[in-house]
Amino acid sequence: MNNKIYTKITTHSLQEMKRNGEKIAMLTAYDYSFAKLIDNASIDIILVGDSASNVMAGHETTLPITLDEMIYHAKSVVKGSNRCLVVVDLPFGSYQGNSKNALESAIRIMKESGAHAVKLEGGSEVEDSIKRIIESGVPVMGHLGLTPQSIYKFGTYTVRAKQSEEIKKLKNDIKKLEKAGCFAVVLEKIPAKLAKELTESVKIPIIGIGAGSDVDGQVLVMHDMLGMNMKFNPRFLRRYSNLSEIIDEAVKKYIVDVKNNSFPNKDEEYN
Ligand code: KIV
């Protein structure tokens, strides 16, 4: 693997990576400290995902998180990032109504957080909004397949695009997003074979989550891949750490030390 060294990732670097066959690595983050760690490790894209609604705020779905809350998370992530591209999710209700509303929401995110791009869910239904945001100079990442903001329409988080109607719409939508000017698209939870076909059908990078390996890059929710939530076990998830156990062990040791009065010791006090 002889990849080009990028000192700063832009939407253009991502297109170049696709052309050169270099895979794109993307993770979510929602705060300054984790963003700094992930950026230092050379992640290509940090997504300030509306999954913050689940992993930061404890909501069951991504629907309740507000635009103000997303901007708060995005500001913190931007402060902790240097090399990576920071993309921020437009939350549910901030862009579906009409394209003027969508543009206003995107501009607030860009102006108030300092992020580099926005992401929004959907295909032809949000095409006008995507075009209007891009016309204003804001890069847009699309999101197709399983779109969690529509969970009450789908009724379940199972794999999408198994039936011919949905496959047809997906093929149509990905072309529409490319034509509208999206710089990349996330494909969530669709059959790997279809994801490969869709990836080969467009020039823009396709980032998969539960979409197999024949896409241009991968994204995972940071809390899931670090093993902070052992109850979430989808097939596509690979855990790279076991932070929930590590944290549990550390906190229990601290409690014992405090109860035993063995913390702090003489070296840990001021004279
Ligand atoms: O909000 C999020 O974390 C996402 C990823 C799962 C792609 O949209």
Side-chain angles (χ1 to χ4, degrees):
M1 192 174 63
N2 236 345
N3 293 331
K4 181 174 165 183
I5 310 268
Y6 291 95
T7 49
K8 194 103 193 148
I9 303 291
T10 65
T11 56
H12 295 279
S13 328
L14 302 174
Q15 318 271 332
E16 192 176 63
M17 285 180 190
K18 170 153 183 156
R19 282 197 303 275
N20 294 342
E22 176 179 347
K23 297 280 184 179
I24 298 163
M26 168 164 151
L27 279 176
T28 65
Y30 318 97
D31 68 359
Y32 167 79
S33 301
F34 271 110
K36 202 159 179 227
L37 289 169
I38 293 175
D39 184 70
N40 279 340
S42 295
I43 198 77
D44 296 316
I45 308 174
I46 289 184
L47 171 66
V48 185
D50 59 357
S51 48
S53 181
N54 310 107
V55 296
M56 300 303 287
H59 297 301
E60 207 171 306
T61 71
T62 57
L63 276 69
I65 200 160
T66 65
L67 185 57
D68 284 339
E69 287 166 339
M70 287 304 297
I71 290 170
Y72 167 80
H73 289 298
K75 261 189 207 169
S76 315
V77 167
V78 168
K79 277 205 191 116
S81 317
N82 174 41
R83 174 185 173 273
C84 68
L85 188 85
V86 179
V87 181
V88 183
D89 262 336
L90 281 170
F92 178 67
S94 72
Y95 63 95
Q96 288 93 345
N98 59 61
S99 62
K100 183 170 175 284
N101 181 221
L103 178 61
E104 280 165 6
S105 302
I107 286 178
R108 273 203 63 202
I109 287 179
M110 300 298 282
K111 245 182 157 35
E112 295 177 39
S113 76
H116 309 124
V118 298
K119 172 165 90 55
L120 55 84
E121 296 181 5
S124 52
E125 321 77 36
V126 287
E127 202 183 347
D128 287 347
S129 296
I130 291 174
K131 281 188 185 151
R132 195 150 175 188
I133 295 171
I134 294 171
E135 270 163 22
S136 80
V138 177
V140 174
M141 178 181 271
H143 185 155
L144 298 170
L146 176 69
T147 47
Q149 291 178 12
S150 305
I151 187 58
Y152 292 117
K153 185 175 87 182
F154 297 144
T156 146
Y157 284 103
T158 52
V159 182
R160 302 307 312 173
K162 300 275 265 186
Q163 310 299 327
S164 58
E165 266 308 289
E166 202 176 332
I167 295 172
K168 199 169 145 209
K169 174 159 166 48
L170 199 46
K171 286 182 178 174
N172 236 334
D173 279 345
I174 204 150
K175 287 281 183 195
K176 281 200 167 144
L177 295 196
E178 178 178 46
K179 195 151 176 256
C182 283
F183 71 88
V185 174
V186 166
L187 280 183
E188 181 165 353
K189 247 183 163 180
I190 62 163
K193 202 161 153 250
L194 176 62
K196 179 178 192 294
E197 193 186 330
L198 293 169
T199 302
E200 286 167 355
S201 76
V202 291
K203 291 208 165 63
I204 53 173
I206 302 302
I207 316 286
I209 173 164
S213 62
D214 290 320
V215 287
D216 303 307
Q218 299 291 332
V219 57
L220 284 175
V221 169
M222 180 192 67
H223 287 60
D224 300 338
M225 63 82 77
L226 291 180
M228 291 171 89
N229 174 11
M230 303 310 270
K231 290 198 178 114
F232 185 58
N233 287 307
R235 182 191 181 114
F236 67 77
L237 176 62
R238 186 180 295 180
R239 289 203 179 90
Y240 289 84
S241 188
N242 197 349
L243 279 199
S244 62
E245 263 178 35
I246 292 169
I247 292 170
D248 186 64
E249 209 177 297
V251 173
K252 282 180 175 150
K253 273 191 193 152
Y254 168 73
I255 294 169
V256 168
D257 287 355
V258 171
K259 302 278 179 188
N260 288 344
N261 204 22
S262 63
F263 172 78
N265 62 25
K266 289 293 165 203
D267 291 339
E268 289 159 338
E269 68 182 30
Y270 296 100
N271 298 317

